[in-house]
Amino acid sequence: VEGDLVIAGGGPDEERVRREVTRLGLDRRVRFAGWVRGEAKWQLLAGAAVAVVPSRHETFGMVALEALATATPVVAFDIPGLREVVPDGSGWRVPPFDVAALADRIRAACADPAMAEAAGLAGRHFAAGFDWHVLAGRQDEVYRSVLEEALQ
């Protein structure tokens, strides 16, 4: 695909991945950003054609949700924790751990900017539902309904 790959974060396989990037001669197209915070994180997410979250386990897909909040579509494995925050239409989930399917979906998303833009806009709308005020209002509704039932 056109463009460069930015790998943010880190992990136990980082050195192995760095060696593989060098072995494949991709040093000019792959940048290791490390842990990215604050405004730099938001700029990175918002400037991406697609955010790829290849997690093998997640308790909550915060990175995916943050990408969607910037109108950047997400490609991820279809696992719990990501399934809930990457709904159909705002990105693409592929069979868990199917790296070939992940690569195919990344290529497809990058090859069709209009499709990616539509998914990103749908993702921004979805992510807006995770606003703290919205979530607090929903929690308040749950508490009130439980109290009402208990008082009847």
Side-chain angles (χ1 to χ4, degrees):
V1 299
E2 295 293 319
D4 295 333
L5 172 65
V6 178
I7 299 175
D13 293 326
E14 183 176 344
E15 284 307 313
R16 185 179 61 80
V17 173
R18 285 177 180 271
R19 284 192 305 272
E20 189 67 7
V21 165
T22 298
R23 185 186 74 75
L24 294 170
L26 297 172
D27 293 302
R28 290 185 180 178
R29 294 198 58 207
V30 177
R31 178 168 61 96
F32 291 86
W35 290 103
V36 185
R37 294 175 180 79
E39 185 62 28
K41 174 179 67 174
W42 295 110
Q43 288 177 359
L44 188 62
L45 288 169
V50 63
V52 181
V53 184
S55 297
R56 296 184 177 268
H57 55 83
E58 281 285 347
T59 55
F60 184 81
M62 184 60 80
V63 171
L65 190 61
E66 289 172 338
L68 294 178
T70 68
T72 299
V74 174
V75 176
F77 289 132
D78 189 8
I79 61 171
L82 290 173
R83 188 174 300 131
E84 291 80 14
V85 296
V86 184
D88 292 336
S90 65
W92 303 273
R93 296 181 316 273
V94 300
F97 322 126
D98 186 339
V99 177
L102 188 74
D104 288 343
R105 178 40 64 193
I106 294 166
R107 277 192 290 275
C110 291
D112 191 340
M115 177 183 67
E117 182 179 0
L121 292 174
R124 175 179 277 166
H125 177 74
F126 173 78
F130 286 84
D131 176 272
W132 286 114
H133 297 292
V134 172
L135 294 174
R138 288 183 190 158
Q139 190 68 39
D140 181 59
E141 289 173 18
V142 170
Y143 290 153
R144 288 181 188 277
S145 69
V146 169
L147 281 173
E148 286 174 14
E149 283 184 31
L151 295 173
Q152 291 180 9

